[in-house]
Amino acid sequence: MRANQLIALLQEHNLFLSTTLNSDDVDFASLAYDSRKVSANGLFVCKGFNFSVDYLQSAISNGAIAYLAEKDYGVDVPVILVTDVRKALSLAAQLYFGFPQNDLFVIGYTGTKGKTTSTYLTTNILSRTYPQQVAMFSTINHIIGPKPEDQYRAHLTTAESFDLFHEMRQAVNNGQKVLVMEVASQAYLLDRVYGLTFDVGIFLNISPDHIGVNEHPNFANYLFCKMQLMLNSRACIVDADMDHFEDVYAAAKVSTAPENIFTYGFNQDAATLSITSSEATLTDSQFGLTVHSEDDRLAELATSYSVSVPGDFNQSNATAAILASRLAGASVADMQAGLANTSIPGRMESMTTKHHGTIYIDYAHDWGSMNALLSFLHTQFPDHHITAVLGSTGDKGEDRREGFAKALNDYADTAFLTTDDPGHEDPIAIAKEIDSHIDHDKVSVTIIPRREDAIQHAIASATNDDLVVLAGKGEDAYQKINGVDTPYPSDPVVAQEVIDGLADEN
């Protein structure tokens, strides 16, 4: 990566201030923001809320010949000064990795809930259209190629910009043609996707979440960050049923032509696609679509579909996937087959017992997803007793705790409050905060610190008239405790062990 090319790109975005390089005809052999990963003739990026000049000195020792920063640290190597180092890092990464997005059809999903499910549904559809050529960046895992080693566990919903464009380059090198990815609000708050234009951007829904000391200061900022996807997409898809639809649609119109904005919703005559729910069971659901558009690409979408994950909210997610995959070139046959045969780890996984009811395992981790899940189960089986096992994450999303209580008050009968990625907080204090918002005339509450014990009590005490919901963790095999990813068997494994250990189940 040549310095003069980087400086020109920074100038184009009004980020460049000055440089102490003797000449801009310098070729950087590497780029890094982690001093431990700097190599010879490298450019080091000084970023981070707690950045220390010691990191820069370490980078220089490892081979950095210049650094990119918002201030001059007065060290022995030259600096490229910028107004915003996070935005500059994103641009530098794109340049360093050869703008890999230009070789991919990039689909981005944002929303408070449904991003992972929609991403999986879309990927499964397009994998039939473009076999072994579809990459995926989801909260659960990343796929950058067709080989087993090209799939690995995700660490962030949207990776740091350097890592994001690095993985895009790997995907292109592995022959991938399409990328389907989740786009968290933090991606725009922290400029992880700065300068990236999506071919299709989808806004699923919005409800208060990720508001706290270490996240968004308020809901307005949360919504603003999520709407940035609409401003940075060539085509936009918006759920017409969502709260703040008018705000999101207006954002889409700022930079996208009306003919490239598509909407969908249940029985919405004004939407591009109107959904009619045919049936929703506890294992799958069927629905039909009506097309209200003269766009020739959409006419044949007016047919029926079956989606292998239950709930009317997943009919909505499936419709978003239909629209997105259509814009990427998928046929209706690919859509129907893909939707009917998608397995999403940790999403509405069910386990049937002989004497202790049905157990549902889901990543539901905020009011929106928990409310949708419990509402659906309550509607399907109004006479069943609903028991929920859940906690809430620490160090972020403090507003979720009251939201969980609200969902429990509306639809649950029993709750076991326990540990769920408490971070640096006390899990019992988190549980007590949730409990303080619960109406105890409606919901029986027990606090059990160890998650495995809470699951054991919930299943063991259930009868065949019970639905037991294990919420929040899904198939996550770690608990985040005091800054450490602590091994955890995962909810499905724990639940199966509990069932196997019950005398009346054997």
Side-chain angles (χ1 to χ4, degrees):
M1 178 178 66
R2 304 198 71 81
N4 52 13
Q5 294 175 319
L6 175 59
I7 289 171
L9 184 59
L10 295 171
Q11 288 174 328
E12 181 183 337
H13 287 259
N14 297 314
L15 295 172
F16 179 73
L17 288 176
S18 63
T19 183
T20 58
L21 286 166
N22 292 328
S23 168
D24 63 8
D25 189 23
V26 177
D27 193 5
F28 297 116
S30 66
L31 175 71
Y33 65 92
D34 183 335
S35 61
R36 296 165 297 183
K37 297 181 180 180
V38 174
S39 57
N41 299 313
L43 175 66
F44 178 64
V45 182
C46 303
K47 79 158 194 72
F49 296 117
N50 299 307
F51 183 79
S52 167
V53 70
D54 292 340
Y55 300 145
L56 176 54
Q57 294 287 7
S58 175
I60 295 170
S61 299
N62 289 333
I65 59 172
Y67 64 100
L68 183 71
E70 293 176 8
K71 62 178 287 187
D72 189 334
Y73 288 97
V75 294
D76 295 334
V77 300
V79 61
I80 299 174
L81 287 173
V82 294
T83 57
D84 189 317
V85 74
R86 283 192 168 275
K87 291 179 179 179
L89 172 59
S90 183
L91 295 177
Q94 292 173 53
L95 176 62
Y96 181 71
F97 291 112
F99 298 96
Q101 66 268 36
N102 294 342
D103 296 316
L104 293 164
F105 188 93
V106 185
I107 298 170
Y109 277 99
T110 199
T112 304
K113 59 186 176 71
K115 295 189 296 297
T116 300
T117 296
S118 301
T119 296
Y120 267 82
L121 292 171
T122 307
T123 300
N124 204 36
I125 292 170
L126 291 173
S127 292
R128 297 169 186 274
T129 309
Y130 308 104
Q132 298 190 326
Q133 293 182 312
V134 182
M136 180 181 76
F137 298 166
S138 82
T139 301
I140 300 174
N141 65 351
H142 284 201
I143 300 172
I144 59 171
K147 300 178 182 178
E149 59 265 31
D150 297 328
Q151 302 184 27
Y152 44 87
R153 181 176 180 266
H155 296 287
L156 296 169
T157 299
T158 308
E160 182 57 77
S161 58
F162 177 89
D163 304 305
L164 177 68
F165 291 106
H166 181 207
E167 291 186 14
M168 281 191 187
R169 170 47 58 196
Q170 291 176 301
V172 171
N173 292 347
N174 289 334
Q176 307 301 280
K177 301 297 183 185
V178 180
L179 168 62
V180 187
M181 63 179 285
E182 297 183 42
V183 185
S185 57
Q186 295 272 314
Y188 282 105
L189 181 67
L190 301 176
D191 294 306
R192 291 173 181 163
V193 291
Y194 179 78
L196 174 60
T197 299
F198 292 81
D199 291 287
V200 182
I202 304 98
F203 203 123
L204 297 171
N205 47 67
I206 186 80
S207 59
D209 192 27
H210 294 290
I211 298 167
V213 175
N214 298 319
E215 298 183 282
H216 298 278
N218 49 51
F219 177 76
N221 179 262
Y222 177 55
L223 175 60
F224 173 81
C225 288
K226 283 198 169 294
M227 289 195 299
Q228 299 312 298
L229 177 61
M230 299 292 93
L231 299 172
N232 291 281
S233 296
R234 297 183 178 91
C236 296
I237 299 171
V238 187
D239 184 349
D241 293 330
M242 65 176 285
D243 291 340
H244 302 278
F245 168 74
E246 296 298 335
D247 294 328
V248 176
Y249 192 82
K253 290 195 295 183
V254 169
S255 55
T256 305
E259 62 268 22
N260 291 323
I261 303 176
F262 307 89
T263 59
Y264 63 94
F266 284 93
N267 306 307
Q268 288 268 10
D269 292 340
T272 308
L273 295 185
S274 179
I275 309 168
T276 302
S277 180
S278 300
E279 183 181 0
T281 72
L282 288 175
T283 56
D284 61 7
S285 58
Q286 291 78 43
F287 64 97
L289 294 179
T290 303
V291 177
H292 302 120
S293 171
E294 296 180 0
D295 191 322
D296 292 338
R297 295 172 295 178
L298 307 183
E300 63 176 337
L301 300 182
T303 186
S304 58
Y305 303 85
S306 175
V307 59
S308 58
V309 282
D312 51 2
F313 49 94
N314 282 320
Q315 294 176 3
S316 180
N317 293 333
T319 303
I322 287 168
L323 273 168
S325 60
R326 186 58 161 177
L327 296 179
S331 68
V332 170
D334 291 336
M335 297 170 195
Q336 290 174 321
L339 294 176
N341 296 282
T342 298
S343 175
I344 305 164
R347 297 290 179 183
M348 283 298 280
E349 291 188 28
S350 62
M351 305 173 71
T352 303
T353 69
K354 295 177 182 177
H355 304 288
H356 295 270
T358 304
I359 301 159
Y360 289 91
I361 299 164
D362 194 87
Y363 277 109
H365 64 283
D366 56 26
W367 172 81
S369 53
M370 180 66 75
N371 187 72
L373 173 60
L374 296 183
S375 172
F376 170 69
L377 294 175
H378 177 76
T379 301
Q380 290 294 308
F381 287 97
D383 297 328
H384 278 54
H385 186 102
I386 296 179
T387 296
V389 179
L390 73 153
S392 189
T393 54
D395 304 331
K396 63 179 182 179
E398 291 92 338
D399 56 308
R400 294 177 183 176
R401 300 165 193 181
E402 184 174 355
F404 280 140
K406 179 182 176 184
L408 293 170
N409 289 338
D410 288 341
Y411 300 112
D413 301 289
T414 300
F416 289 88
L417 302 182
T418 188
T419 300
D420 181 354
D421 293 337
H424 294 88
E425 293 190 57
D426 178 2
I428 299 304
I430 295 174
K432 288 181 177 178
E433 187 175 347
I434 298 172
D435 185 54
S436 70
H437 299 288
I438 291 177
D439 184 343
H440 294 93
D441 292 331
K442 296 180 178 179
V443 185
S444 172
V445 178
T446 303
I447 296 177
I448 301 178
R450 188 169 179 267
R451 190 175 181 92
E452 294 94 323
D453 294 339
I455 292 173
Q456 200 280 332
H457 278 78
I459 296 175
S461 61
T463 71
N464 270 343
D465 291 325
D466 287 21
L467 303 177
V468 179
V469 178
L470 311 183
K473 294 297 292 177
E475 294 196 0
D476 189 359
Y478 296 88
Q479 286 267 23
K480 294 179 176 63
I481 301 173
N482 293 323
V484 177
D485 278 352
T486 305
Y488 168 70
S490 82
D491 282 358
V493 170
V494 172
Q496 189 61 59
E497 289 177 350
V498 170
I499 295 169
D500 293 342
L502 293 173
D504 57 355
E505 291 293 319
N506 299 294

